[in-house]
């Protein structure tokens, strides 16, 4: 028998499961960062630097004591590694074995990534790294530009070796990847046994539900090839064994752990958060529209004349609702955070409590982006521009 949840109850469960409104830091700051990544399962890496990059932004919102050096430190101490989830990501080293099914499928050509394999070039590169130690793409000479996005042959070969598991990212220098042999990067005690299909699918389910509270097969299998059918089957099996409960939310079926329903009785803090467009909470746009009535698209790939909100608009979370979008850019030379457009959702009621919370959070966000000044250029509705300017 399905339990019926209201949208507000489902939203509360999702937000609390995502830990996007943290109360305190437990343990050291860096321990809290690692715990956040282990709880979420991954943190997406993105190259756009209009504001602090997505992986830093996502973790900063969950750890008030977050420092930009944490990820490098955790990579160096071999507690994190880079690979692919639904996209490029930092993942907990404890979960390394669950990256192996994709690696083996790519190695056996059962799955493909972006680039065709040049086996001869891959062998040459692998031998150079074996003999010379960690290398970056720029350490290889390129005579031609081929393939998607004009990638150079050696860069393609490095990525193929990385995706099939021969290489790992040992570090980054100025955000450029440094590749090394997998056996030299992995901790000695790491489990490298490839999980069975059922073990892998159960891992995907439990990881997703732990971090997101409620989920559907299509969400759990998001951008993971050849998994949706088996995820759906395993969800039914786990439900029949009373490991999961079925929920009806807004007319659709979801699954959750039984204990998750206790979160309905936990209050949501009156806290404001400026979210990364690639935050784990937001990354599945269809889910956000269904559960939060929030239609969201990053417009950096949209021609400027067709943009409604701006180049890189960050959703604003307030009292458990997504109430605004803030398109901003940090000008590091002038230490100025430019808010090009602050767009409020149609049904949002602007009040004094929001003013206080926004003022506090924008001051913290300014410092997080190494800025000392904020300039607000446009608001929608336009009548709020002067008010917002006065509190920032």
């Amino acid at each position: 028998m399905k339990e019926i949840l209201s949208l507000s109850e489902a939203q509360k469960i999702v937000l609390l499961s995502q830990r996007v409104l943290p109360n305190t830091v437990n343990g050291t700051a860096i321990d809290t960062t690692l715990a956040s990544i282990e709880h979420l399962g991954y943190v997406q890496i993105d190259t756009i630097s209009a504001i602090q990059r997505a992986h830093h932004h996502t973790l900063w919102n969950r750890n008030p004591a977050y420092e930009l050096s944490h990820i490098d430190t955790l990579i160096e101490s071999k507690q994190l590694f880079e690979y692919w989830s639904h996209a490029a990501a930092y993942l907990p080293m404890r979960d390394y074995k669950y990256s192996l099914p994709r690696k083996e499928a790519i190695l056996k050509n059962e799955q493909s990534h972006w680039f065709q394999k040049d086996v001869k070039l891959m062998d040459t590169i692998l031998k150079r790294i074996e003999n010379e130690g960690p290398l970056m793409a720029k350490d290889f000479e390129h005579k031609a530009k081929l393939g998607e996005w004009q990638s150079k042959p050696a860069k393609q070969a490095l990525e193929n070796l990385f995706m099939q598991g021969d290489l790992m990212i040992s570090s980054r220098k100025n955000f450029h990847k440094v590749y090394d042999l997998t056996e030299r990067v992995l901790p000695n005690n790491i489990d490298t046994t490839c999980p069975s299909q059922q073990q892998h699918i159960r891992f995907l389910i439990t990881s997703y539900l732990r971090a997101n509270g409620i989920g559907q097969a299509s969400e759990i299998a998001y951008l993971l090839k050849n998994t949706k059918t088996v995820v759906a089957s395993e969800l039914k099996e786990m439900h029949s064994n009373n490991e999961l409960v079925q929920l009806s939310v807004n007319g659709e079926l979801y699954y959750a752990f039984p204990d998750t329903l206790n979160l309905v009785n936990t209050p949501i803090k009156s806290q404001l958060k400026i979210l990364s467009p690639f935050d784990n909470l937001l990354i599945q746009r269809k889910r956000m529209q269904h559960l939060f009535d929030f239609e969201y698209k990053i417009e950096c790939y949209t021609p400027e004349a067709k943009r409604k909100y701006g180049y890189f608009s960050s959703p604003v979370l307030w009292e458990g609702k997504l109430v605004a979008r803030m398109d901003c850019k940090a000008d590091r030379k002038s230490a100025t955070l430019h808010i090009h457009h602050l767009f409020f959702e149609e049904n949002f009621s602007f009040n004094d409590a929001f003013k206080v919370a926004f003022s506090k959070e924008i001051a913290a966000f300014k410092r997080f982006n190494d800025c000392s000044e904020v300039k607000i250029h446009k608001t929608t509705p336009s009548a709020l521009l002067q008010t917002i300017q006065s509190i920032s």
Side-chain angles (χ1 to χ4, degrees):
M1 187 173 182
K2 302 183 189 70
E3 182 156 348
I4 298 175
L5 286 186
S6 68
L7 274 176
S8 61
E9 289 173 332
Q11 290 164 3
K12 179 184 285 190
I13 286 174
V14 170
L15 292 174
L16 291 172
S17 297
Q18 272 286 303
R19 297 183 180 176
V20 76
L21 300 170
N23 289 311
T24 57
V25 174
N26 296 317
T28 66
I30 197 164
D31 286 343
T32 302
T33 295
L34 178 60
S36 296
I37 300 173
E38 289 182 337
H39 175 75
L40 293 171
Y42 74 91
V43 173
Q44 183 170 334
I45 303 169
D46 194 71
T47 58
I48 296 175
S49 58
I51 52 178
Q52 288 287 9
R53 287 189 170 97
H55 43 284
H56 294 310
H57 192 170
T58 297
L59 291 168
W60 177 75
N61 269 325
R62 288 163 175 81
N63 178 6
Y66 179 73
E67 297 178 12
L68 301 185
S69 61
H70 283 179
I71 286 179
D72 287 342
T73 301
L74 290 169
I75 290 284
E76 185 178 351
S77 63
K78 301 187 177 185
Q79 296 179 85
L80 295 183
F81 73 104
E82 283 193 40
Y83 195 59
W84 207 258
S85 54
H86 69 278
Y90 292 110
L91 302 115
M93 187 65 80
R94 70 175 190 185
D95 296 339
Y96 174 80
K97 66 182 291 182
Y98 297 102
S99 71
L100 295 176
R102 184 194 296 266
K103 290 174 179 175
E104 290 199 358
I106 292 174
L107 178 64
K108 296 175 181 177
N109 296 315
E110 296 169 355
Q111 284 188 29
S112 60
H113 196 53
W114 289 330
F115 310 123
Q116 289 190 345
K117 294 181 180 180
D118 183 335
V119 176
K120 184 177 179 181
L121 180 58
M122 289 165 66
D123 287 343
T124 300
I125 285 174
L126 202 57
K127 287 175 183 175
R128 271 198 63 185
I129 292 176
E130 183 179 359
N131 294 329
E132 299 177 32
L135 295 172
M136 297 191 292
K138 70 176 185 178
D139 295 315
F140 299 88
E141 292 185 4
H142 310 287
K143 295 182 180 180
K145 291 183 177 181
L146 300 171
E148 295 88 345
W149 301 330
Q150 296 297 299
S151 294
K152 299 175 182 180
K155 173 63 175 175
Q156 295 186 15
L158 284 163
E159 282 297 293
N160 281 329
L161 288 164
F162 167 67
M163 289 303 299
Q164 71 182 32
D166 293 298
L167 297 178
M168 291 182 70
I169 310 301
S170 60
S171 64
R172 284 185 179 245
K173 293 182 179 178
N174 297 321
F175 207 59
H176 295 291
K177 297 175 183 177
V178 180
Y179 299 86
D180 199 0
L181 300 181
T182 292
E183 57 263 34
R184 294 202 292 232
V185 176
L186 280 180
N188 293 330
N189 62 343
I190 202 69
D191 186 357
T192 58
T193 306
C194 189
S196 67
Q197 183 186 62
Q198 185 185 35
Q199 289 172 331
H200 184 219
I201 295 303
R202 286 182 68 94
F203 169 78
L204 294 177
I205 291 170
T206 56
S207 298
Y208 187 90
L209 295 181
R210 178 189 66 226
N212 295 281
I214 64 175
Q216 303 173 314
S218 59
E219 296 168 345
I220 296 166
Y222 178 65
L223 297 183
L224 299 173
K225 294 179 181 178
N226 306 319
T227 59
K228 183 179 176 180
T229 300
V230 284
V231 165
S233 176
E234 190 65 25
L235 283 169
K236 291 178 181 178
E237 180 68 20
M238 293 175 74
H239 174 249
S240 70
N241 292 335
N242 297 317
E243 296 176 77
L244 300 177
V245 293
Q246 287 185 336
L247 308 169
S248 177
V249 182
N250 200 16
E252 291 196 16
L253 173 68
Y254 288 84
Y255 290 88
F257 292 117
D259 290 349
T260 297
L261 299 183
N262 295 332
L263 294 174
V264 168
N265 301 315
T266 303
I268 288 284
K269 293 178 65 179
S270 294
Q271 191 172 352
L272 188 144
K273 288 289 184 179
I274 300 162
L275 301 175
S276 166
F278 298 103
D279 193 282
N280 295 51
L281 173 67
L282 299 164
I283 203 63
Q284 293 196 39
R285 312 305 190 200
K286 182 179 177 182
R287 173 180 167 93
M288 295 310 296
Q289 186 168 1
H290 183 255
L291 291 177
F292 286 82
D293 193 24
F294 190 73
E295 186 176 355
Y296 183 58
K297 176 184 178 182
I298 300 174
E299 295 181 317
C300 53
Y301 307 112
T302 302
E304 186 173 1
K306 295 183 178 181
R307 292 174 192 154
K308 180 178 180 180
Y309 307 110
Y311 175 81
F312 199 65
S313 64
S314 297
V316 178
L317 179 69
W318 166 241
E319 294 188 327
K321 307 293 181 183
L322 292 159
V323 301
R325 307 157 198 250
M326 190 174 80
D327 177 46
C328 49
K329 180 176 175 60
D331 184 339
R332 277 89 183 185
K333 289 184 179 179
S334 66
T336 302
L337 180 67
H338 291 278
I339 300 177
H340 293 296
H341 188 194
L342 180 57
F343 179 98
F344 290 95
E345 298 300 298
E346 185 176 349
N347 296 322
F348 176 63
S349 179
F350 193 88
N351 56 36
D352 288 341
F354 178 86
K355 286 168 62 176
V356 172
F358 183 79
S359 177
K360 179 181 177 181
E361 190 65 11
I362 204 68
F365 192 66
K366 172 183 68 177
R367 293 190 296 271
F368 174 60
N369 282 279
D370 298 322
C371 293
S372 57
E373 184 179 2
V374 177
K375 287 188 177 180
I376 300 176
H377 301 272
K378 177 184 177 182
T379 63
T380 299
S382 58
L384 290 175
L385 178 59
Q386 189 172 356
T387 302
I388 294 294
Q389 287 175 331
S390 68
I391 65 176
S392 62

